[in-house]
Every structure is written in structure tokens, then in C-alpha cells.
Amino acid sequence: MIARLEIDLGAIRRNVAALGATIAPARYAAVVKADAYGHGLVEVARALALDVAMLCVYRIEEAVAIRDAGLPTPILILGPIETRDLTAAVRARAAIALWSTGAFSRDLARVARATGLRANVHAKIDTGVTRLGLDPPVAPAALVRYLDDDALEVRGAFTHLAAAEELESSYTSEQLARFDAATAPSRERFAARGIVRHAAASAAAMLYPHARLDLVRAGIATYGIWPSQATRDAAPTTLALEPALAWRTQLVVVRDVEAGRSVGYGCAFVTSRPSRIGVLPIGYAEGLPRALSGTGTVLVRGIRVPVVGRICMNMAFVDVTDVPQVATGDTVTLIGRDGTEAIGANELAAQAGTIGYELVARLPADVPRVYAGRDANAAIASATSIVRS
Ligand SMILES: *Cc1c(COP(=O)(O)O)cnc(C)c1O
């Protein structure tokens, strides 16, 4: 074993149930972009297929992978789509985030007519992230055009919030007010057609009840990782999330060395006492941030041990002098629980100067993933026949 990720699909489903209860009657869209935040797109999508109202992906390929797995859940593609991929998106019955006032919406309508299907869309309105979306002044008229276009099936309208982790800020309320104003002229048609409005990602879903609207798009919370410590401190105390992922490797070598011995590139660490150095078979190429060099801690036999020396491309070092009976082959836990100790994704990320989001999103796709809690989803097999109806 070089490294493996252990993923508890049961924990993911319990997180959806817990946050889902908090946000009800708003519905739950699980965000599964970035390989389900490193947890594995298809496995997570399958586990949640019947539990959530929608799965949000970033790329067309992710939508196609979910359909190829036979899953019927509504999908929204959040990111940009190239014109040449529109046919695949329409055929996959994946909703497209639409913010075009020009050629793209005409291309989409043309492709929809050519396939004989209406293109599902969620209109995207930019209320203050300055990323993707219609500008508020043009949004009301664009919405009416989308609603009038019989090649399009408008399923939703949404915006994204910039400062939902900041409780002190009025920015979230200002964004929601802009979203309200942009969608107000179409309100009756929205109601008549069951068109949903959504704005909140995980943090806003937890902290701002008035941001929940009809649906929330929860990514990080789905995986039991808090968006930030501030969010965790401010969230309802009844909301319990379980981390679903453990990242483990092993000591491939344990070496006894004398005091004054240099370890690793640049002689960045020199032992100050007779020491036991453990060598890990993973480095930054395997997703271990180089910024953890000399600052990170990991678990060996339930004990926190420091990462010493510079993290190499494929290897790293820990000081295991204080771990009784430490031996070659011992498991090393980078994220997860070992005995009474646990290291969360946010904790490891903070030691590397980043956030849990980045750490899990960059876990390489080729690290073997081992799943627990899959059996509970056997029912899905019989539900897959409704796909592509
Ligand atoms: C990634 C993303 C989300 C999910 O954000 P979390 O903070 O992980 O819940 C929601 N909406 C959009 C548009 C996103 O890009």
C-alpha cells in the first residue's frame, strides 16, 4: 500500500440527512464537482442518488459519468460548456447554467431543436461574485426571453454568494436583495411552473435561513467538512457533521539515526537527539502539500508525530522517536481517526496554509479509494430504470 482513501458513504448520507433537516423545507442539492471533493464522483453520486433533489457538477464529463452509471437524479452543470458539448448535455438531460444573452443561448436552442428535446436550464445571475452570471440590470429581460423560448425548459434561477462565511457582513443580504429584484418580474411564472430559486452553498445554508430559498447547493458539508471554523462556531449547535474520509499511508522505512543527522533535501532538518525517522512513500505528487514541510503533524499508532524535513515529490519524513514499538509497515493517518486522536481535513490544510476545500479537491484521482456503507444503497439498482425517460 502506497496510500489509500477510506470513504464512509454512510457518513455522507447522514450528513445530507442532518443538514437536510436543518434546511427543510428547502431541498438539498449535493455538489459533487472535483470528483466529489476527492471522495469519488460516481460512488458518492450513487450513494446520494435517491437522497437529494439534485446533483451539481462543474463539467459536462461529470454529468455524463453520472448518467453512464445509470443514475436518474436531476443534474445541474455549474460551469461553462463548449458549444460542441451541448448535444451531450441535452442528451444527458443535465440542466445547463445559462447566463448568455447572445450566441450561446441561440446555439443551445438550436441543439435542443435538433435533438428533439427541450434543454433544461437554470438561469445564473451574478449578484456580486463577479464570476459567472447575468448582470442584474439585464437579468429580468433575459429571464423572460428564456421563459418564452420553447426550446428551453427553465428549471431554476440561481446566484452564488461571496461572503456567506462572514457573519458580520451585510453583503449576503445585499446579494439576496439583488437576486430577489432580478427574479421578481418572473415570480408568477416561476410559481406556475415549479421553477426553483437557489443561492446558498454550505455556509449560507447553515448560517442564513433566508438564503435557503427553495434549494441549497451543499458541497463541503456533504462530506462532513466545515466551510470554516467561524462557520462551525456560528452554526446551530444541533447540526452534527461526520467527516467521511480518511487518508492513510504507511511507514516504508523506519531508521534509527544519531543526533546531528541531516534529513532530506536542503538539510532542512537536523536531528537534535538520537532519533527514529519514518519514511512515507508519498510526497507532493501524491497530494501531500509541500507546505507541510516542517509544520505538519500526522498520526502513527494514535500519536501525533511531526513531519520533518522537506516533503519530496514522492516521499516525506516523520519523526517517530516518541512512538513506542514503532515499526516499518505501521499505518500513517494524514486525515482521519487513529485511536483517540483525529486530524480533520481543515486541520491538515491549515498547517499547509490552505483550506480543507483545496486539500480534498487536490487528492489525486489515482489514489485507491475504499468504500464503506455501500450496501445501504442496493435499492438504487431497481430505481435506475427511470433514467433518460
Ligand atoms: C462549489 C459550489 C457550491 C458548493 O459550495 P460549498 O461551500 O462546498 O458548499 C455551490 N454553488 C456553486 C455555484 C459552487 O461553485
Side-chain angles (χ1 to χ4, degrees):
M1 191 253 301
I2 298 288
R4 68 165 185 267
L5 292 164
E6 299 164 4
I7 290 138
D8 182 354
L9 297 169
I12 291 175
R13 297 185 74 203
R14 288 189 291 278
N15 292 331
V16 169
L19 183 55
T22 304
I23 62 162
R27 289 187 301 155
Y28 200 107
V31 181
V32 293
K33 65 191 182 192
D35 202 19
Y37 292 54
H39 293 65
L41 170 65
V42 168
E43 290 284 352
V44 170
R46 190 176 284 126
L48 295 181
L50 299 183
D51 294 12
V52 298
M54 193 163 81
L55 295 166
C56 296
V57 299
Y58 182 71
R59 294 183 295 117
I60 172 68
E61 291 84 354
E62 297 165 323
V64 170
I66 291 170
R67 290 297 182 243
D68 284 348
L71 305 175
T73 315
I75 297 173
L76 170 59
I77 302 173
L78 298 169
I81 303 178
E82 295 194 60
T83 302
R84 64 161 188 260
D85 291 328
L86 285 175
T87 305
V90 172
R91 289 233 166 91
R93 309 306 288 134
I96 289 164
L98 185 61
W99 60 87
S100 162
T101 53
F104 183 86
S105 18
R106 287 193 297 277
D107 287 344
L108 180 57
R110 180 178 47 74
V111 165
R113 290 198 182 90
T115 52
L117 297 164
R118 296 179 91 193
N120 294 329
V121 301
H122 286 234
K124 174 88 194 260
I125 301 167
D126 176 45
T127 56
V129 182
T130 316
R131 208 169 64 175
L132 308 178
L134 295 156
D135 266 324
V138 303
L143 269 178
V144 169
R145 269 200 313 281
Y146 299 164
L147 288 163
D148 285 344
D149 190 333
D150 59 16
L152 305 181
E153 170 92 34
V154 180
R155 291 280 173 91
F158 72 112
T159 192
H160 194 48
L161 302 171
E165 292 173 29
E166 274 110 277
L167 275 168
E168 303 308 318
S169 160
S170 57
Y171 202 72
T172 295
S173 299
E174 290 162 19
Q175 284 196 268
L176 290 169
R178 280 180 217 129
F179 184 59
D180 240 3
T183 52
S186 300
R187 174 150 302 164
E188 277 163 28
R189 291 171 86 183
F190 274 36
R193 298 195 199 175
I195 296 170
V196 294
R197 298 191 317 143
H198 46 110
S202 296
M206 295 169 180
L207 304 185
Y208 291 97
H210 66 298
R212 292 171 189 156
L213 306 180
D214 299 315
L215 183 88
V216 307
R217 305 180 306 269
I220 201 86
T222 301
Y223 309 101
I225 302 169
W226 292 86
S228 65
Q229 188 58 44
T231 313
R232 183 174 198 165
D233 294 342
T237 50
T238 49
L239 178 61
L241 297 178
E242 284 175 64
L245 174 143
W247 185 18
R248 301 194 209 273
T249 181
Q250 63 170 342
L251 299 175
V252 282
V253 170
V254 174
R255 308 184 48 157
D256 287 307
V257 299
E258 68 282 8
R261 175 78 164 241
S262 170
V263 175
Y265 289 129
C267 307
F269 177 73
V270 177
T271 56
S272 59
R273 55 177 177 168
S275 299
R276 207 159 254 189
I277 300 297
V279 180
L280 315 188
I282 66 169
Y284 53 82
E286 284 79 23
L288 194 63
R290 189 170 178 276
L292 289 172
S293 300
T295 70
T297 56
V298 299
L299 302 175
V300 176
R301 294 188 179 238
I303 295 173
R304 275 170 194 265
V305 301
V307 175
V308 295
R310 290 193 190 147
I311 291 176
C312 316
M313 187 178 288
N314 302 113
M315 307 215 107
F317 312 92
V318 288
D319 182 342
V320 289
T321 312
D322 299 326
V323 181
Q325 269 108 48
V326 67
T328 297
D330 278 1
T331 297
V332 177
T333 300
L334 306 153
I335 296 174
R337 174 165 295 284
D338 181 6
T340 56
E341 287 281 351
I343 293 176
N346 278 324
E347 184 187 343
L348 192 70
Q351 291 171 349
T354 184
I355 54 176
Y357 286 90
E358 183 184 3
L359 187 66
V360 294
R362 299 182 77 148
L363 290 170
D366 62 2
V367 182
R369 283 153 171 84
V370 182
Y371 290 92
R374 221 191 233 137
D375 305 349
N377 306 301
I380 189 69
S382 59
T384 53
S385 54
I386 36 178
V387 72
R388 301 185 204 218
S389 50

